[in-house]
Amino acid sequence: MRKDRTEMSEDDDRSPPLDLRGADIAESSSKTRNCSGVTGSVAGPGPGPSSMDFQAPYPDQVLENVLENVLQFLSTRRDRNAASLVCKSWCRVEALTRSELFIGNCYSVSPRRATARFARVQAVAIKGRPRFADFNLMPPNWGAFFAPWVLAMATAYPWLEKVYLKRMSVSNDDLTLLADSFPSFKELVLVCCDGFGTGGLAVVASKCRLLRVLDLIESELSDEDVDWIACFPESGTSCLESLIFDCVERPINFEALERLVIRSPSLKKLRLNRFVSIGQLYRLMVRAPQLTHIGTGAFSAPEGVALGDLEPDYTAAFAACKSLVCLSGFREILADYLPAIHPVCANLTSLNFSYANINAEQLKSVILHCHKLQTFWVLDSICDEGLQAVAATCKDLRELRVFPIDAQEDIEGPVSEVGLEAISEGCRKLQSILYFCQHMTNAAVKTMSNNCPDLEVFRLCIMGRHRPDHLTDEPMDEGFGAIVMNCKKLTRLAVSGLLTDRAFNYIGKYGKLVRTLSVAFAGDSDMGLKYVLEGCPRLQKLEIRDSPFGDAALLSGLHHYYNMRFLWMSSCSLSPPGCQEIARALPRLVVEVISNETDKLNGDDTVDILYMYRSLEGPREDAPGFVTILQ
Amino acid sequence: MGFDKELNLEATELRLGLPGTKKSNKRALPDYMNEECGSKDSSNVSDAQKSDQEIASPAKAQVVGWPPVRSYRKNCFLAKKMEAETAGMYVKVSMDGAPYLRKIDLKVYNGYPELLKALEDMFKFSVGEYSEREGFNGSEFVPTYEDKDGDWMLVGDVPWEMFISSCKRLRIMKGSEARGLGCAV
C-alpha cells in the first residue's frame, strides 16, 4: 500500500519506504568508503596524486562525501528521517551518519535489519511493551525481550556507548553480554523494565569501567540479593555522573555507597531508594554538595533509632548544595524533617512529592518558597487547598502531576475541579498535566483550556467510571471539547468520565496535532472511534479499553494504520473476523489478538485484546501461547 | 434450571453478604456490574450504570487496571495504610540530668503501670505512688508529658487512651521543679 509522503507522521521512526529494501542499502554501502581518504580530493575531478591506489571519486561519491559532512549535523530523528527519504544516496549517507538509533516499537523492525542499515550507532533507544500492560491488562511474558537486540549489537556496534530501554524485558544474561561486549559503554537507562536483578547490576557495575550513568526508573527487579553497589571498582576516581535506583526494593550496602560517592567527583544525580535513611542521606550529601538532582530515599529515620538531640543539621546539608535543582524521594517521609529543604526551595525547578503523604499545611510551608518550580509531582493528600498554594506561588509551572493516594473509585476525593481551576488561574504557562480526581466539571476543564493555551499534554483521570459533570450531571464532552478546541498545541490527550460520541467528534474535528490518545469506558457507538481515526492525521498511539467500538469502526482506520506506531483495543466490541479483515487488508501490519484467560468464562466470540502495529518483519517468532497473530 | 429461576431460590437463600451479591461476601457488587467491567456491550449496561450512580451504591469491585495507577505506586500506599494501623506511636522521653533522650512506643503498653515500669527500668529510677489528689508521692522524680496544646501535664491524670492520643513527648522531672506539680515530699 503506497502512502503519500506528505502524510508521514512527524515522529516517524520507520525504515525507508517499502521499495527500498534493506539489502540494497547494505550492498551499496560497501562501495569504497573511506571518509578521511577521499575528502582530500573533493576539490575537483581527477586531480590528486598519481598513486596507483588512488581512485578518482565518482561524482555521486563526491556528493555523498559532502552530504556526509553536512548530515552529521542533523541531530533530531525527525530531520534525519526526512533527509533519508530524499533519494537512495541521501538515505545511504544518512544511515552512515546516524549515531543515535530510536526504535519506538521493538517489533517493528528486526535487530538484524536495523544494524544492517545503521552501521555507526553509538546510542540506542528501544521501547517494547504497550503502556496498558503496566496496568496488568495483559498477561505477563508477552515479549519485548532485549536479548536479540543486545546479541545483534554486540557484533554490529562494538563502540556502543548508550542504551535506553523502556518497557523491555531485560535479563541478567543480557546485562552481562552488554557489559562484556561494549568496552566504551557509558550510559544505561532502564525505564519500566523487568526481568533483571541485582546480579545483573553487579556485572554492569564491575565491568563497565567508563560508566557514567546508571539510571533505573520505575523498574521491577527480581528477588535476588546481590551487593551490586560494592561491585563498582573500589580504587581510583569513578566517572559516575548519575546513579538512580529509587525503584530498587532491596536494601543496599550503605558503606559501599558512601565510598562510591566519595570517589565520584562528577556525580550530579543521585536518587536513593527507601532503604536509605535520612541520617545516611545526610552523610552522602555532605560528601557531594555538587549534586544537582537528589532523591532523598526514605526521608525519615528507621523505627527504634533514637537520635534525639544528636541529630545532624539536615538544613545545613541542604543549604550546602548550591546547585540543587531537582528533589524527589520522600518515600517514607516524616513531615517533621520537611523544613530541612527550605534552603534549596528557591532554586528548585523540579520537585517530586508523589510518594510523600503530606497535607496542605505541610506542603504550604515548602511550596511558598518554590518560585522557580517548573515540574511538580504530588499526591492528592494535599487537597484542593494545597493546589491553591501551588497556583499562588509557582508561576513558572510547566508540568503538574497529581496522583491519588487512594486509587479507588467510590471514595470522597481530596481534589476536585476547585484545584484544577486554581492551577489554571495561577499557572498560565502549564504545558503538561496529569490529574487524578473523583469529581470534575466541564466548566473547570473549559477554564483550563482558556487559561493555559500552551497545553501539550492533557490527561484527566476521573476515577469513577462513566462519571458525569458532578454539578450539571451532563457528560464531560464539552470540557474535553474545549481542550481540543482551545489548546492548539495539544499532542497528548487522555479522557475519562461519562463521554458520548460527541466528545470524539470534537477530538476528530479539532485535535489535529494529537499523537497519543487514551480512552477508557467512553463513547456510545462505532462513530466515536470513526471520528478519531478519520479526523486525526497525526495520531500515532491509540489505546482504548472497555469502550463500545466494533469492527466497522476498526475498518474506518485502514488508511491510517501504517502511519501509527500502534493501536490497542481491549474489552471493546471487536470480533476475530473483523480483526482478520484488517490483517488481510494490511499485510505490513502485525495484528495480535491477545487472550486474557480470566475473561474466558463466557464462551463468547469477542476479542479480549487487539494490539496491532506496523512492522517490516511480519509475525514475530517469540509470541507466547496466549497471543494469536492474524494473517 | 429454568425452574430454579422462576422460584428465585437464590433471592431467598440465607447467606452472608449484601442482597444482590452472588459470590463471597467480599464482593459487594451485583454480578451484572462485574460482567460490565469486561463487557462487550457496555453501552447497554452504561444506562443501568448511570442510574446506579444516583443510588448510594456499595463500593464497586475493583476493575483490573483501573484507575490506571501502576501497581508499584498502589502498593506503596497500601502497605503504608496497613502499617499505619499497626504502626507504633513513638515519643521522645527525656530525663532531667540524662545526657541523651530515648524513644518509646506508647502502643506497646496497656496502661500506666506498664508504662511507668518501663520508664523506671529505662532510666533506673522510681516514680513513687500516684494519687489523684497528690500526684506522685515518695520520689523526687515525676513523670510528665507535653500534650497537643503544648502544656506540660502530670502523667496519670487522664484515661490511658486519651493520654496516648494526646501525648507528644515525655519528660521525667527531677528535684525542686517537680514539687510544683503537687508532689508531696
Side-chain angles (χ1 to χ4, degrees), chain B residues 71-107:
Chain B
S71 36
Y72 175 81
R73 188 176 280 284
K74 269 190 192 163
N75 293 340
C76 261
F77 294 107
L78 214 59
K80 278 182 196 170
K81 248 161 77 171
M82 299 193 311
E83 245 182 69
E85 267 127 52
T86 54
M89 205 180 267
Y90 279 89
V91 294
K92 292 182 185 175
V93 188
S94 61
M95 163 123 142
D96 291 352
Y100 54 85
L101 284 69
R102 304 297 304 268
K103 247 190 180 161
I104 56 168
D105 178 3
L106 293 178
K107 269 198 178 167

Side-chain angles (χ1 to χ4, degrees), chain A residues 139-412:
Chain A
N141 303 317
W142 168 82
F145 302 108
F146 182 47
W149 289 93
V150 66
L151 202 57
M153 295 191 298
T155 43
Y157 303 146
W159 45 77
L160 193 68
E161 293 183 2
K162 305 184 194 182
V163 167
Y164 169 100
L165 302 176
K166 186 167 186 180
R167 295 200 184 92
M168 298 282 291
S169 282
V170 184
S171 70
N172 283 350
D173 287 344
D174 298 336
L175 292 176
T176 305
L177 185 56
L178 183 145
D180 284 336
S181 311
F182 308 120
S184 317
F185 196 72
K186 296 198 172 78
E187 297 185 17
L188 180 64
V189 179
L190 302 176
V191 181
C192 300
C193 293
D194 63 7
F196 65 101
T198 44
L201 297 180
V203 178
V204 172
S206 68
K207 292 194 176 178
C208 300
R209 296 286 160 139
L210 299 178
L211 197 67
R212 291 196 296 224
V213 171
L214 180 57
D215 290 352
L216 308 169
I217 298 167
E218 293 191 50
S219 292
E220 201 176 317
L221 273 70
S222 66
D223 273 341
E224 62 177 349
D225 229 329
V226 176
D227 187 356
W228 58 286
I229 297 275
C231 292
F232 284 96
E234 283 273 347
S235 59
T237 312
S238 147
C239 25
L240 211 55
E241 293 171 14
S242 174
L243 182 62
I244 294 178
F245 62 94
D246 45 8
C247 62
V248 174
E249 282 293 294
R250 312 218 68 82
I252 48 130
N253 179 342
F254 178 75
E255 279 65 38
L257 177 64
E258 194 175 15
R259 289 194 298 273
L260 176 62
V261 169
I262 290 171
R263 64 177 188 278
S264 306
S266 311
L267 193 66
K268 292 283 190 290
K269 302 186 188 182
L270 181 62
R271 294 199 344 212
L272 309 162
N273 68 6
R274 63 181 179 87
F275 292 91
V276 179
S277 69
I278 192 169
Q280 291 172 326
L281 168 68
Y282 174 85
R283 282 163 62 178
L284 296 175
M285 285 177 72
V286 298
R287 297 293 195 170
Q290 78 280 7
L291 288 173
T292 57
H293 293 58
I294 292 182
T296 63
F299 211 67
S300 58
E303 301 284 13
V305 170
L307 293 171
D309 296 330
L310 297 174
E311 280 202 275
D313 190 349
Y314 301 118
T315 311
F318 276 97
C321 292
K322 306 271 184 227
S323 317
L324 197 57
V325 291
C326 175
L327 260 189
S328 61
F330 308 103
R331 296 276 168 146
E332 295 179 359
I333 189 174
L334 194 58
D336 293 347
Y337 291 122
L338 210 42
I341 73 171
H342 286 174
V344 296
C345 287
N347 284 332
L348 282 183
T349 53
S350 171
L351 180 55
N352 183 347
F353 271 153
S354 67
Y355 290 96
N357 186 355
I358 53 173
N359 59 31
E361 279 315 305
Q362 291 160 339
L363 175 72
K364 279 184 192 176
S365 68
V366 166
I367 208 77
L368 63 91
H369 303 292
C370 300
H371 300 279
K372 287 195 190 164
L373 210 58
Q374 293 187 12
T375 303
F376 186 50
W377 292 21
V378 72
L379 285 174
D380 61 4
S381 57
I382 61 163
C383 301
D384 287 328
E385 195 187 334
L387 291 172
Q388 286 164 332
V390 174
T393 317
C394 306
K395 297 303 177 190
D396 217 11
L397 199 67
R398 311 294 163 106
E399 177 180 326
L400 174 67
R401 296 198 193 189
V402 180
F403 293 95
I405 196 169
D406 201 351
Q408 284 185 68
E409 285 193 70
D410 284 309
I411 54 174
E412 263 310 302

Side-chain angles (χ1 to χ4, degrees), chain A residues 9-47:
Chain A
S9 38
E10 64 182 46
D11 197 5
D12 194 24
D13 56 339
R14 283 179 298 162
S15 301
L18 302 174
D19 55 356
L20 226 56
R21 300 274 133 71
D24 287 350
I25 296 158
E27 275 163 26
S28 55
S29 65
S30 66
K31 241 195 238 170
T32 331
R33 291 228 45 89
N34 186 345
C35 192
S36 49
V38 183
T39 24
S41 51
V42 165

Side-chain angles (χ1 to χ4, degrees), chain A residues 134-136 218 249 303 309 331 354-355 379 403 407-408 410 436 461 463 465 520 545-546 571 573 606, chain B residues 36-37 39-40 49 53 60 62-70 72-73 76-77 80-81 90 101:
Chain A
D134 287 355
F135 311 121
N136 302 324
E218 293 191 50
E249 282 293 294
E303 301 284 13
D309 296 330
R331 296 276 168 146
S354 67
Y355 290 96
L379 285 174
F403 293 95
Q408 284 185 68
D410 284 309
F436 282 85
C461 182
M463 289 189 273
R465 286 168 284 150
R545 64 167 294 185
D546 294 274
S571 303
S573 310
T606 55
Chain B
E36 185 275 327
C37 305
S39 140
K40 339 300 166 197
Q49 184 126 41
Q53 301 284 349
K60 291 192 188 132
Q62 298 285 354
V63 175
V64 174
W66 188 262
V69 175
R70 298 184 68 234
Y72 175 81
R73 188 176 280 284
C76 261
F77 294 107
K80 278 182 196 170
K81 248 161 77 171
Y90 279 89
L101 284 69

Side-chain angles (χ1 to χ4, degrees), chain A residues 109 301 412 437 616:
Chain A
V109 64
E412 263 310 302
C437 58
L616 290 175

